PDB file of all heavy atoms in Angstrom:
ATOM      1  N   LEU A 289       3.170  11.279  -5.399  1.00 93.00           N
ATOM      2  CA  LEU A 289       4.112  11.953  -6.273  1.00 93.00           C
ATOM      3  C   LEU A 289       3.468  12.532  -7.499  1.00 93.00           C
ATOM      4  O   LEU A 289       3.817  13.676  -7.948  1.00 93.00           O
ATOM      5  CB  LEU A 289       5.260  11.024  -6.572  1.00 93.00           C
ATOM      6  CG  LEU A 289       6.301  10.749  -5.539  1.00 93.00           C
ATOM      7  CD1 LEU A 289       7.232   9.662  -5.938  1.00 93.00           C
ATOM      8  CD2 LEU A 289       7.073  11.983  -5.138  1.00 93.00           C
ATOM      9  N   ASP A 339      18.032  11.912  19.466  1.00 87.00           N
ATOM     10  CA  ASP A 339      18.573  11.940  20.746  1.00 87.00           C
ATOM     11  C   ASP A 339      18.516  13.420  21.259  1.00 87.00           C
ATOM     12  O   ASP A 339      18.891  14.307  20.638  1.00 87.00           O
ATOM     13  CB  ASP A 339      20.060  11.556  20.853  1.00 87.00           C
ATOM     14  CG  ASP A 339      20.165  10.017  20.486  1.00 87.00           C
ATOM     15  OD1 ASP A 339      19.187   9.271  20.665  1.00 87.00           O
ATOM     16  OD2 ASP A 339      21.274   9.668  19.956  1.00 87.00           O
ATOM     17  N   ASN A 340      17.956  13.590  22.480  1.00 87.00           N
ATOM     18  CA  ASN A 340      17.720  14.892  23.074  1.00 87.00           C
ATOM     19  C   ASN A 340      17.047  15.836  22.161  1.00 87.00           C
ATOM     20  O   ASN A 340      17.618  16.871  21.829  1.00 87.00           O
ATOM     21  CB  ASN A 340      19.119  15.393  23.531  1.00 87.00           C
ATOM     22  CG  ASN A 340      18.950  16.487  24.559  1.00 87.00           C
ATOM     23  OD1 ASN A 340      17.876  16.811  25.059  1.00 87.00           O
ATOM     24  ND2 ASN A 340      20.023  17.108  24.948  1.00 87.00           N
ATOM     25  N   ILE A 354       9.348  28.267  13.701  1.00 95.00           N
ATOM     26  CA  ILE A 354       7.840  28.434  13.731  1.00 95.00           C
ATOM     27  C   ILE A 354       7.484  29.865  13.358  1.00 95.00           C
ATOM     28  O   ILE A 354       6.595  30.110  12.589  1.00 95.00           O
ATOM     29  CB  ILE A 354       7.341  28.139  15.124  1.00 95.00           C
ATOM     30  CG1 ILE A 354       7.352  26.613  15.324  1.00 95.00           C
ATOM     31  CG2 ILE A 354       5.912  28.618  15.290  1.00 95.00           C
ATOM     32  CD1 ILE A 354       7.026  26.205  16.745  1.00 95.00           C
ATOM     33  N   LEU A 366      -2.482  21.760   6.753  1.00 95.00           N
ATOM     34  CA  LEU A 366      -3.784  21.619   7.363  1.00 95.00           C
ATOM     35  C   LEU A 366      -4.892  21.948   6.393  1.00 95.00           C
ATOM     36  O   LEU A 366      -5.943  21.200   6.334  1.00 95.00           O
ATOM     37  CB  LEU A 366      -3.858  22.597   8.548  1.00 95.00           C
ATOM     38  CG  LEU A 366      -5.143  22.641   9.373  1.00 95.00           C
ATOM     39  CD1 LEU A 366      -5.321  21.243  10.027  1.00 95.00           C
ATOM     40  CD2 LEU A 366      -5.156  23.726  10.312  1.00 95.00           C
ATOM     41  N   GLN A 390       3.231  18.035  12.073  1.00 91.00           N
ATOM     42  CA  GLN A 390       4.175  17.949  13.226  1.00 91.00           C
ATOM     43  C   GLN A 390       5.630  18.218  12.807  1.00 91.00           C
ATOM     44  O   GLN A 390       6.374  18.960  13.489  1.00 91.00           O
ATOM     45  CB  GLN A 390       4.130  16.569  13.973  1.00 91.00           C
ATOM     46  CG  GLN A 390       4.959  16.440  15.110  1.00 91.00           C
ATOM     47  CD  GLN A 390       4.925  15.031  15.681  1.00 91.00           C
ATOM     48  OE1 GLN A 390       4.224  14.151  15.232  1.00 91.00           O
ATOM     49  NE2 GLN A 390       5.634  14.862  16.843  1.00 91.00           N
ATOM     50  N   LEU A 393       6.186  21.912  11.941  1.00 93.00           N
ATOM     51  CA  LEU A 393       6.239  22.851  13.067  1.00 93.00           C
ATOM     52  C   LEU A 393       7.524  22.714  13.870  1.00 93.00           C
ATOM     53  O   LEU A 393       8.137  23.714  14.244  1.00 93.00           O
ATOM     54  CB  LEU A 393       5.071  22.615  14.034  1.00 93.00           C
ATOM     55  CG  LEU A 393       3.730  23.260  13.545  1.00 93.00           C
ATOM     56  CD1 LEU A 393       2.633  22.850  14.526  1.00 93.00           C
ATOM     57  CD2 LEU A 393       3.729  24.808  13.377  1.00 93.00           C
ATOM     58  N   PHE A 394       7.968  21.496  14.052  1.00 93.00           N
ATOM     59  CA  PHE A 394       9.155  21.261  14.904  1.00 93.00           C
ATOM     60  C   PHE A 394      10.121  20.279  14.214  1.00 93.00           C
ATOM     61  O   PHE A 394      10.201  19.134  14.447  1.00 93.00           O
ATOM     62  CB  PHE A 394       8.673  20.527  16.261  1.00 93.00           C
ATOM     63  CG  PHE A 394       7.633  21.323  16.963  1.00 93.00           C
ATOM     64  CD1 PHE A 394       6.354  20.840  17.043  1.00 93.00           C
ATOM     65  CD2 PHE A 394       7.900  22.549  17.537  1.00 93.00           C
ATOM     66  CE1 PHE A 394       5.386  21.588  17.702  1.00 93.00           C
ATOM     67  CE2 PHE A 394       7.015  23.221  18.258  1.00 93.00           C
ATOM     68  CZ  PHE A 394       5.658  22.780  18.320  1.00 93.00           C
TER      69      PHE A 394
END
Side-chain angles (χ1 to χ4, degrees):
L289 285 171
D339 295 334
N340 198 8
I354 288 172
L366 182 65
Q390 181 184 2
L393 283 175
F394 307 108

